[in-house]
Amino acid sequence: MSPGCPWRRWMARALQLAALAEGRTSPNPLVGALVLDADGTLVGEGFHARAGEAHAEVGALAQAGERARGGTLVVTLEPCCHHGRTPPCSEAVLAAGIARVVLAMADPNPRVAGGGITRLRDGGLEVIEGVMEAEARRLNRPFLHRIATGRPLGILKWAMSLDGRTALPNGVSQWISGPGARDWVHHLRARCDAMIVGGGTVRADDPLLTSRGRRTPEPLRVVLSRGLDLPAAAQLWDPAPAATLLVHGPEAPQDRRDRFDRLGVERLALEACEPAALAIALARRGCNRVLWECGPVLAAAALHQGCVQQLAAVIAPTLLGGLPARTPLADLGLENLEDGWSLSEAATGWLGRDLLWQGAVVGPT
Amino acid sequence: MSPGCPWRRWMARALQLAALAEGRTSPNPLVGALVLDADGTLVGEGFHARAGEAHAEVGALAQAGERARGGTLVVTLEPCCHHGRTPPCSEAVLAAGIARVVLAMADPNPRVAGGGITRLRDGGLEVIEGVMEAEARRLNRPFLHRIATGRPLGILKWAMSLDGRTALPNGVSQWISGPGARDWVHHLRARCDAMIVGGGTVRADDPLLTSRGRRTPEPLRVVLSRGLDLPAAAQLWDPAPAATLLVHGPEAPQDRRDRFDRLGVERLALEACEPAALAIALARRGCNRVLWECGPVLAAAALHQGCVQQLAAVIAPTLLGGLPARTPLADLGLENLEDGWSLSEAATGWLGRDLLWQGAVVGPT
């Protein structure tokens, strides 16, 4: 669609509606919809608020009522044609008497994948595709990544001093960044389905790992710990603020497994205690986007195993020094500078006195 | 002076003139001057181009000639009242028949320090002080720092990956930053009187360490090496591109001293091979501003010994990883995060794909 397409302004509004539920629809995508009557007047709006609840089209059509007849449905994603937790939206669109459907993109879900569009055209509706498709894909990048790869989109986050330290030589790390940056991290968590740490972070920092109420329910807190060598008491074992999933390898001794079962902490045994296996397991649980908030060894492994698509580095204007002090990433096995990971789409901004550097991670080619 | 002061626009021009010689006047300050005739018309401009050459006032007065009579001299620094390499400017101002002198700041040089102002007032001239004084002080911060402390103002510079590495685990470090950042470093060197590296940098990188012709003569290249354990062949030993000063401690064996004497490399033996002693020696040689381009151990020592006032960190959008990989700073002996060095006046900008983070270094309080 050209920039002059008359539907762009309505699709922009539908994308705004879709974004209202960011971080809350997984495993579903974000979808927004609106209905114009036969004269082009806005008569209904809707968005998909949460998995299991009504799809965006249904809400917009319900609001429009009889005024939808002969009108136009503008929706960010192809209406579904299958019975999931809700009936197929393509049937609801036909039943409402809509004459034209304007779409940003087809649904890559193999159960839809153009079937909704076919059903609408077979029903005699005009279907216009591809309006603001790039924007719609960007909005649903985590969902699209999971559908395409079977893994959630991964964001690796760290906070370091300007000389690249994530802790002092004595291990002290709270807080390197300031309150503005920590508040931003809480908002970032609210857009994610899970946060992942390793056992070392639990032992060193005893993190609470929540969005501080910015998402309800809180994202899943995930601990990846090969042998379950973890403290008996930790904030993460308290289910009141948020659920925790304890993921371990086959080598975890039975007595430790039993201990956490008695504590009531959900446990998942992987065949191999690796980031890639964890990512697949989390995708199966419906996670579209996960946040790696781990130490250098797990972070390097997650990068190596293709689990990281985006980076969010908070850089504090401090110098901590210390050759043995913790740094963001353990060995990546590089022999040449050209072989390193790099960042594209780099963007920076200030979070109080701290700098936030975000970008898309591009692996060695 | 208030922002509405009528002399501000002329002082701004004088400061621009002064800045034209940035990096070339040491040990002298940067000074710019202009002359307005009795009607307020600009009739002369001048700046101090290099130590030993004419002072700014003299050039502006020469350009103005007879039209200076009854006019105003606007100058960024108090005219001198002593015979140095050139005669006292206060006498030249009186001789030219100037009626009014507008100053940004007094000269902190103990041989002047208000004496020039007194001489002018005694001669019957109106003297207006403090116009754009903050800007003038900022422009001459390196000179003022040397006069106040007996050491040059130090800038610590490094280039690192986004995960805080200045080299790969195998030592490879050329080039972490891109051509835009390297070009910027050449410009930075051109504003400095000397660049300092340690022996490790000579052994690992064999740097050329010049401004690539952006300053004539090139800044002094300084190697601080306790025991002169240095390669026999290195780009720094070639005097053609720039002069090199080899600084060592009392422990340097005589045969190594002899070797460098035979090579014709200038040598300076310190009583203690420490950054602070080197800084004092460089101030005595007339260095106002020096650039520390050294590895983590020397950088940490320079910070510790108060030799670093500003930081310029280039951060490349790459991830290199590797726990044994080189990082910017060795141990600073910190036990608490609150005790760290921090940066004020932080400012960032892009040098191609690399981020430049500059700031003033604030030590532990």
Side-chain angles (χ1 to χ4, degrees):
Chain A
M1 284 292 119
S2 74
C5 166
W7 302 111
R8 283 181 66 89
R9 59 177 284 230
W10 292 116
M11 188 59 78
R13 172 64 187 161
L15 287 166
Q16 282 180 339
L17 291 166
L20 291 174
E22 189 165 25
R24 297 200 303 271
T25 62
S26 296
N28 292 351
L30 297 165
V31 190
L34 54 85
V35 176
L36 306 172
D37 68 12
D39 298 329
T41 301
L42 180 67
V43 292
E45 290 187 334
F47 66 94
H48 183 46
R50 186 182 297 274
E53 296 188 8
H55 285 189
E57 305 90 317
V58 173
L61 289 170
Q63 211 172 70
E66 270 307 301
R67 288 176 295 177
R69 199 157 297 278
T72 299
L73 172 71
V74 178
V75 58
T76 60
L77 191 74
E78 175 185 6
C80 66
C81 55
H82 61 91
H83 281 270
R85 294 199 235 184
T86 58
C89 290
S90 50
E91 300 307 321
V93 174
L94 289 165
I98 286 285
R100 183 194 291 121
V101 175
V102 179
L103 297 176
M105 60 178 291
D107 188 340
N109 186 328
R111 292 191 296 172
V112 186
I117 294 173
T118 302
R119 180 75 190 90
L120 295 171
R121 286 202 171 121
D122 288 349
L125 274 66
E126 178 189 4
V127 179
I128 298 172
E129 299 176 65
V131 176
M132 297 190 81
E133 178 163 354
E135 292 83 349
R137 289 194 167 275
R138 196 175 311 128
L139 182 70
N140 270 315
R141 195 181 280 183
F143 168 76
L144 296 173
H145 183 82
R146 180 178 63 76
I147 293 289
T149 68
R151 299 178 181 191
L153 184 136
I155 304 176
L156 174 59
K157 181 232 103 187
W158 67 64
M160 68 182 202
S161 63
L162 185 44
D163 60 324
R165 305 294 171 192
T166 59
L168 285 179
N170 64 12
V172 169
S173 68
Q174 288 176 330
W175 302 101
I176 287 177
S177 57
R182 300 204 296 276
D183 189 58
W184 180 84
V185 169
H186 298 153
H187 279 99
L188 174 63
R189 287 177 183 160
R191 295 192 292 121
C192 293
D193 300 309
M195 285 83 64
I196 304 162
V197 296
T201 299
V202 180
R203 288 188 294 270
D205 296 345
D206 187 19
L208 180 57
L209 219 60
T210 70
S211 75
R212 305 297 191 272
R214 286 172 182 79
R215 185 184 192 271
T216 308
E218 287 281 354
L220 184 66
R221 305 181 295 185
V222 179
V223 180
L224 184 64
S225 170
R226 192 173 300 282
L228 292 178
D229 176 17
L230 294 163
Q235 295 197 90
L236 287 169
W237 314 153
D238 175 6
T244 295
L245 175 66
L246 195 45
V247 183
H248 59 84
E251 54 273 69
Q254 191 59 46
D255 61 327
R256 289 183 184 161
R257 301 183 193 209
D258 294 344
R259 193 212 310 160
F260 286 101
D261 290 347
R262 280 194 303 274
L263 277 173
V265 181
E266 186 184 2
R267 215 169 33 74
L268 174 67
L270 295 176
E271 285 185 25
C273 188
E274 295 293 339
L278 171 60
I280 292 165
L282 291 175
R284 289 201 183 122
R285 285 176 74 107
C287 291
N288 285 343
R289 175 158 47 198
V290 299
L291 186 59
W292 297 83
E293 300 203 56
C294 45
V297 175
L298 182 49
L303 254 183
H304 248 305
Q305 296 179 18
C307 300
V308 175
Q309 283 68 50
Q310 295 179 353
L311 182 75
V314 172
I315 311 176
T318 55
L319 304 176
L320 299 179
L323 295 183
R326 196 170 70 204
T327 51
L329 291 172
D331 210 345
L332 296 173
L334 302 181
E335 294 291 331
N336 301 295
L337 288 171
E338 296 71 29
D339 300 339
W341 275 255
S342 66
L343 263 80
S344 65
E345 307 171 35
T348 58
W350 293 101
L351 303 169
R353 294 179 67 217
D354 302 323
L355 186 82
L356 169 66
W357 186 327
Q358 292 180 280
V361 172
V362 181
T365 47
Chain B
M1 284 291 120
S2 73
C5 166
W7 302 111
R8 284 181 63 89
R9 58 176 284 231
W10 293 116
M11 188 58 78
R13 172 64 187 160
L15 287 166
Q16 281 179 340
L17 291 166
L20 291 175
E22 188 164 25
R24 298 201 302 270
T25 61
S26 296
N28 291 352
L30 297 165
V31 190
L34 54 85
V35 176
L36 306 172
D37 68 13
D39 298 329
T41 301
L42 179 68
V43 292
E45 290 187 333
F47 66 94
H48 182 47
R50 187 182 296 274
E53 297 188 7
H55 285 189
E57 305 90 317
V58 173
L61 289 169
Q63 210 172 72
E66 270 308 299
R67 288 175 294 178
R69 200 156 297 277
T72 299
L73 172 72
V74 178
V75 59
T76 60
L77 190 75
E78 173 186 9
C80 66
C81 56
H82 61 91
H83 281 272
R85 294 200 236 183
T86 58
C89 290
S90 50
E91 299 308 320
V93 174
L94 289 164
I98 286 284
R100 181 195 291 122
V101 176
V102 178
L103 298 175
M105 60 177 290
D107 188 340
N109 186 328
R111 292 190 298 173
V112 187
I117 294 172
T118 302
R119 181 73 190 91
L120 294 171
R121 285 202 171 120
D122 288 349
L125 274 65
E126 177 188 4
V127 179
I128 298 173
E129 298 177 65
V131 177
M132 297 189 81
E133 178 163 355
E135 291 83 349
R137 289 194 167 274
R138 197 174 310 130
L139 182 70
N140 270 316
R141 195 181 281 182
F143 168 77
L144 297 172
H145 182 83
R146 180 177 63 77
I147 293 290
T149 67
R151 298 178 182 192
L153 184 135
I155 303 176
L156 174 59
K157 181 233 102 185
W158 67 64
M160 69 181 201
S161 62
L162 184 43
D163 61 323
R165 306 294 171 190
T166 59
L168 286 180
N170 64 11
V172 169
S173 67
Q174 289 177 331
W175 301 101
I176 287 177
S177 56
R182 300 204 295 276
D183 189 59
W184 181 84
V185 169
H186 298 152
H187 279 100
L188 174 62
R189 287 176 184 161
R191 295 192 293 122
C192 294
D193 300 310
M195 284 83 64
I196 303 163
V197 296
T201 299
V202 180
R203 288 188 294 269
D205 295 345
D206 186 21
L208 179 58
L209 219 61
T210 72
S211 74
R212 306 297 190 270
R214 287 172 181 78
R215 184 184 192 272
T216 308
E218 287 281 352
L220 185 65
R221 305 181 294 185
V222 179
V223 179
L224 185 64
S225 170
R226 193 172 301 280
L228 291 179
D229 175 17
L230 294 165
Q235 295 198 90
L236 288 168
W237 313 152
D238 176 7
T244 295
L245 175 66
L246 195 45
V247 183
H248 58 85
E251 54 272 70
Q254 191 60 45
D255 61 325
R256 290 184 183 160
R257 301 184 193 210
D258 293 344
R259 193 214 308 163
F260 285 101
D261 290 347
R262 281 194 304 273
L263 276 173
V265 181
E266 186 184 2
R267 218 171 28 76
L268 174 67
L270 296 176
E271 284 186 26
C273 188
E274 295 293 339
L278 171 60
I280 292 165
L282 291 176
R284 288 200 184 122
R285 286 175 73 107
C287 291
N288 285 342
R289 176 158 47 198
V290 299
L291 185 59
W292 297 84
E293 300 202 55
C294 45
V297 175
L298 182 50
L303 254 183
H304 248 305
Q305 297 179 18
C307 300
V308 175
Q309 283 67 49
Q310 295 178 355
L311 181 75
V314 173
I315 311 176
T318 54
L319 304 176
L320 299 180
L323 294 182
R326 196 169 71 203
T327 52
L329 291 171
D331 211 347
L332 295 172
L334 301 181
E335 294 291 331
N336 300 294
L337 288 171
E338 297 71 30
D339 299 340
W341 276 256
S342 66
L343 264 79
S344 66
E345 306 171 37
T348 58
W350 293 102
L351 303 169
R353 294 180 65 216
D354 302 324
L355 186 83
L356 169 67
W357 186 327
Q358 292 180 280
V361 172
V362 181
T365 49

